[in-house]
Amino acid sequence: MNTRSAAGARRFWPTAITVVLVVAMLAAAMIPWWPIYESPAFIVAAVVAIIAGTAMGVAGARFRLPAWAVVVTMFGAYLVLGVPAAVPGRAIAGILPTPAGLVELVSAAALSWKQLVTIAVPVGSFQTLLVPPFLLGLIAATAAVTIALRSRYPATAVFPPALLLVAGIGFGVVHDTLSIEAGLAFLVTAVAWLVRVSIANRRAITSGRRVEAALTDARRVLGAAALVAIALVCSTAASLAMPTPHRNVLRAELQPPFEPRAHDSPLAGFRAAFDADVEDVPMFEVRGLPVGSGIRIAVLDSYDGIVYAVGGADGAAASGQFSRVPYRLDQSEAPGESIELDVSVLGYDDIWVPGVGRLEQIEFNGPRSAMLAEEFFYNDATGTAAVQGGLESGDEYRAVAKVPTDPVLLGSLRPGTSVLPPAPELPEQLAKLLDAWAPATDAPGERLAGVINGFHREGYVSHGLDDAAPSRSGHSLDRLDELATERPMVGDGEQYAAAAALMAREIGFPARVVVGYVQPADEEVAGGADDVTGDATSGDGSVVFRSGDRQAWIEVQTSKGEWISIDPNPEPRPIPDREPDQPTIVSRPQSALPPPAERTPVDDLAADPDVPPDEGDGGADAWLQVLFGALSVTGFVLLGLAVLTSPFLAIIVAKLRRRRLRRNAATAAERIEGGWQEFADSAADFGYPIKPAATRAEQAATVGGLAPLVLASVVDRAAFAPDGPDDGDDLRVWDAVDELQERLGAPRTRRGAAARSGLPHLSRRVRCEPEGRAFVTCRICGAELPAGAMFCGECGSSTSATPESRRRPDPRPGDTTAIERPARQSSGVISIPVDGFRAATAIGDPAGRERAAGEAPVDSPEQTPVVASARFVLRFSTGETRTVFGAGLIGRRPMPQPGEVFDHLVQIADQTLSVSKTHLEFGEHDGVLWVSDRFSGNGTIVRRPDDGALRCEPGRRYLVPRGSRVELAEQFFTVD
């Protein structure tokens, strides 16, 4: 395939168009990065990277800089522009880089990639996380523009933006924000660039008329638009037909660095906050908290029968996935209104960060703010936040969160659909208590209200410390079972929250335990017997929470997806004396028991505990599930591949249909012409500069080799001969077309080997035959042909043709259709340049003529010179006169083929270039001059004195008596 030279950057408009299209591809490739940042700082970094890379690529092409110079320049641009664009927090006035910023910039080139996938999005301009898109954009822009302007294969400039796009998808978010828009934008810009390259390649190898060139370019543009439309329709149909799967990106596969299972459950040490020496210690001060609202420190949704914890038994649950929050979280879909809290840590020293609702943004203050921001992790599923190293006295932060404000009636609630980690079965005594307080016949919301009212009515609060009523700590299943059986019911928030959460889950509500702090009793507004919860009004004052304000409550999810806080703890009140346990005596009447029945083998088998019950064959179902899963995945993959390859398949189908129409045309002449059109289109597909307005001989000469020239001659004769083609010529033409297409598709190494060995290009049948190899003889002109040839290379006739089949009335008297050539080797191929050629002039003495290149001396035993028996004076339209004899060539720069011997090489000074380099061959036959067209571009016309104009078929000889005129395109000569 032919490739054009590098475009360079010396012409303004071609360079500008190239730069605009490449920049458009780069901008489209940056779209998947936007959901990661969602910050104007990202736009600045992307624009700076693309502009800088483009400028370096254009400068390198304009001044022909070596590759190492471009790389060094790109590294310098990274150091100079990286800090203000990618690490703006370390730049002086946002422009000048600082030494610390340069150190972070260099280290971020290797370290920021891991940080980017272990942090919650969007990240904004946090620390050095803008370095990945800036660095990749700079490299991609420089590489793409360099390839577009300096490479011989400019179409490959699409690969750097494509890699940038794939990187954005891999480092991107798990949801499909802007995924369709990014794919379509990149497809449109990439197709536009490929069309631009195709048009530039065509203009570089062709020189047709402007109208034809414009039509060809318009067809390319319309074809590209059709491909984009097909891809758009197919992708839309696929998106509607296929379910939207969860996107597998890097951040979804990596384990976040914070592991909650490595820390104790906040509920495990619940009673330690009520010791006499710490009960009055202030924990933290909060400003902006709504009146009556509590502040939580952790949400627990996993229970193993002993401890309520975070994240499930293996930490794989959604509540166990903590990530960093450097900028903000999008909580626009969360219900409620945003509030702003200012928290000052006093005596609190735990890893869990107090907060409310759904966190939107957090900003740490104080001397440890940078370290706290670095170690802050958040779980959006539960709203739990943590600091790896823990909070200390003096730490401060400001948090913006969304909290629900509308009061909710418990009796009207309906269960939500969230899936929580599995929990053990409800203890027997709790199950009985649930049936007593909340019968199964009631609605779920009414049953939940009954459970909460039951705890409020029958429960009493005691932490079991000092002289308080005895109350065992812990929230294991046996402790909850004890809570349900003892009278009076005594416990604290640890037991009541755990029991209420399990009973709510038994009803059907997704429920979890919340550990936090509640406002002092004189400010508390809590839902209780009135079945109302979540009612709060904003307050401007500050609240100081002490250790004794610690509490546990529950959250349940409603059918609207909201998590509603509910407090199951009873109001503190005096605890009555414990009721003694009195066993119940049951009297049974005396009765005579019948003797036991005789046991049967079946009874013995049923009573044998070692014999497991038949659980059925579950292996088959498992294999079926695996099989169906594999088939579904395979189907989705095949459908996706079909969508991606649909434009190319459409092109292949269109070409196959065009070939079928050409091969099955109505007439033999149309089928023959269709065969040539199929060959010309194939040659154009393989990169040969086929001109649509050129003759078939010119198109064949563009491809090169004898076989295309012979095929062009056969097609011309079938199209212009008076009696039309012979029977079977159409089949033979199509067989030749199939063979030529196969040779066009052969590897370059095979074609190059044939060219280096001196063989005709793309012609395996015309080669040096070993001695003794059989030849066939053309029955029309008598030329020797290699065995297996389909057409004669001398006259163009089919090897199956006979003089009888070719005989027809001769409308051209005086012409001979076959003249025996002189005994020398000849070739019907367009001339090949020979170094050192010098045209010979007409010489009066045969012995004094100049020998052509490669001609042996007269006494050479291998060749015998042709002795001229007549002389002819050729008077050219250019004013020159030549006296010739024997054989010769005429053209702008006539050159013989290797092994050919001629007496004259007559050169015509044609300024219009209408005459071919080797246009015409002439010789003498029985004292009469004959001429033969050498497959010239514009053909040859003979005008005899007693006859009209006669167009010469390439390769055939025509007698030219004295007084005739021979026209060579726009030039001519007369024979005297």
Side-chain angles (χ1 to χ4, degrees), residues 568-634:
N569 296 282
E571 291 289 338
R573 51 183 173 166
I575 303 175
D577 295 335
R578 182 176 180 180
E579 299 178 1
D581 297 333
Q582 295 181 356
T584 302
I585 301 175
V586 179
S587 61
R588 297 179 180 273
Q590 298 293 330
S591 60
L593 297 177
E598 183 178 357
R599 299 179 62 86
T600 63
V602 176
D603 296 331
D604 294 338
L605 181 61
D608 188 357
D610 295 333
V611 180
D614 187 7
E615 298 179 354
D617 187 9
D621 295 338
W623 279 108
L624 286 177
Q625 293 178 359
V626 172
L627 177 61
F628 290 150
L631 291 177
S632 62
V633 172
T634 304

Side-chain angles (χ1 to χ4, degrees), residues 512-806:
R512 54 199 189 188
V513 174
V514 181
V515 179
Y517 292 84
V518 296
Q519 297 186 22
D522 56 345
E523 301 180 14
E524 185 177 9
V525 179
D530 55 357
D531 296 339
V532 178
T533 183
D535 186 12
T537 58
S538 299
D540 297 331
S542 62
V543 179
V544 176
F545 290 95
R546 303 181 183 277
S547 178
D549 296 329
R550 193 158 188 166
Q551 189 57 281
W553 60 92
I554 67 171
E555 287 182 347
V556 297
Q557 189 190 41
T558 67
S559 57
K560 297 180 180 180
E562 303 175 1
W563 288 93
I564 305 300
S565 297
I566 302 176
D567 187 5
N569 296 282
E571 291 289 338
R573 51 183 173 166
I575 303 175
D577 295 335
R578 182 176 180 180
E579 299 178 1
D581 297 333
Q582 295 181 356
T584 302
I585 301 175
V586 179
S587 61
R588 297 179 180 273
Q590 298 293 330
S591 60
L593 297 177
E598 183 178 357
R599 299 179 62 86
T600 63
V602 176
D603 296 331
D604 294 338
L605 181 61
D608 188 357
D610 295 333
V611 180
D614 187 7
E615 298 179 354
D617 187 9
D621 295 338
W623 279 108
L624 286 177
Q625 293 178 359
V626 172
L627 177 61
F628 290 150
L631 291 177
S632 62
V633 172
T634 304
F636 289 144
V637 171
L638 293 178
L639 183 57
L641 292 176
V643 171
L644 293 177
T645 60
S646 57
F648 308 100
L649 295 177
I651 294 176
I652 294 175
V653 171
K655 288 187 175 183
L656 292 176
R657 181 177 180 274
R658 182 186 64 186
R659 176 185 175 90
R660 182 177 61 82
L661 293 176
R662 289 172 173 175
R663 191 157 194 168
N664 298 329
T667 63
E670 292 177 349
R671 291 192 290 273
I672 291 176
E673 291 184 2
W676 176 260
Q677 294 172 357
E678 186 71 19
F679 166 70
D681 290 340
S682 299
D685 291 340
F686 279 95
Y688 291 94
I690 302 298
K691 299 180 180 180
T695 63
R696 295 187 183 93
E698 290 175 333
Q699 293 176 347
T702 301
V703 178
L706 179 61
L709 292 170
V710 172
L711 179 62
S713 176
V714 172
V715 175
D716 285 340
R717 186 172 63 250
F720 301 114
D723 55 350
D726 296 333
D727 294 338
D729 278 356
D730 56 339
L731 299 178
R732 285 185 285 272
V733 166
W734 274 98
D735 291 341
V737 169
D738 293 339
E739 183 178 358
L740 288 173
Q741 287 178 331
E742 179 183 354
R743 296 176 186 178
L744 286 173
R748 286 182 176 270
T749 54
R750 293 170 54 187
R751 285 186 268 167
R756 288 191 298 270
S757 62
L759 305 180
H761 188 47
L762 296 177
S763 181
R764 291 180 295 178
R765 296 186 182 276
V766 183
R767 60 182 184 271
C768 298
E769 301 288 347
E771 296 183 2
R773 179 70 181 269
F775 288 88
V776 296
T777 303
C778 177
R779 286 177 284 183
I780 302 299
C781 66
E784 291 184 346
L785 304 175
M790 295 182 293
F791 300 100
C792 176
E794 298 294 332
C795 65
S797 302
S798 172
T799 54
S800 62
T802 62
E804 290 76 12
S805 64
R806 297 294 301 274

Side-chain angles (χ1 to χ4, degrees), residues 442-465:
D442 294 343
E446 295 176 355
R447 298 184 69 192
L448 179 62
V451 170
I452 300 302
N453 287 331
F455 282 121
H456 288 176
R457 182 179 61 253
E458 300 186 14
Y460 295 89
V461 177
S462 174
H463 302 299
L465 301 175

Side-chain angles (χ1 to χ4, degrees), residues 43 47 110 180 190 249 290 312 325 416 420 429 462 531 578 695 754 851 962:
I43 299 179
V47 171
I180 297 178
V249 294
V325 183
L420 301 180
Q429 298 301 324
S462 174
D531 296 339
R578 182 176 180 180
T695 63
R851 290 190 297 272
R962 299 179 188 274

Side-chain angles (χ1 to χ4, degrees), residues 62-77:
R62 178 65 178 83
F63 300 105
R64 300 183 180 276
L65 299 178
W68 64 266
V70 176
V71 173
V72 171
T73 304
M74 182 176 62
F75 180 73

Side-chain angles (χ1 to χ4, degrees), residues 342-526:
D342 290 317
V343 180
S344 299
V345 180
L346 302 176
Y348 183 79
D349 59 353
D350 204 347
I351 65 168
W352 309 105
V353 178
V356 295
R358 304 289 294 274
L359 181 67
E360 291 183 307
Q361 191 171 359
I362 188 169
E363 180 181 357
F364 288 92
N365 302 314
R368 301 200 317 144
S369 59
M371 185 187 68
L372 294 176
E374 178 73 22
E375 297 181 351
F376 180 78
F377 295 89
Y378 182 72
N379 176 261
D380 193 41
T382 61
T384 303
V387 172
Q388 188 85 16
L391 295 174
E392 296 178 359
S393 178
D395 294 335
E396 297 179 355
Y397 59 90
R398 172 171 295 179
V400 179
K402 262 195 174 181
V403 295
T405 57
D406 298 330
V408 178
L409 293 175
L410 295 184
S412 62
L413 297 181
R414 296 294 180 267
T417 58
S418 289
V419 178
L420 301 180
E425 294 184 2
L426 195 66
E428 180 181 358
Q429 298 301 324
L430 275 183
K432 293 180 179 180
L433 203 60
L434 176 63
D435 292 337
W437 290 349
T441 56
D442 294 343
E446 295 176 355
R447 298 184 69 192
L448 179 62
V451 170
I452 300 302
N453 287 331
F455 282 121
H456 288 176
R457 182 179 61 253
E458 300 186 14
Y460 295 89
V461 177
S462 174
H463 302 299
L465 301 175
D466 298 334
D467 56 351
S471 175
R472 186 160 62 95
S473 63
H475 54 279
S476 61
L477 289 177
D478 64 319
R479 176 65 182 94
L480 300 182
D481 197 66
E482 177 184 339
L483 177 70
T485 55
E486 65 179 356
R487 292 295 180 269
M489 181 185 294
V490 179
D492 57 10
E494 179 182 4
Q495 291 82 41
Y496 288 121
L502 291 179
M503 296 172 76
R505 294 185 64 165
E506 185 70 17
I507 295 173
F509 284 90
R512 54 199 189 188
V513 174
V514 181
V515 179
Y517 292 84
V518 296
Q519 297 186 22
D522 56 345
E523 301 180 14
E524 185 177 9
V525 179

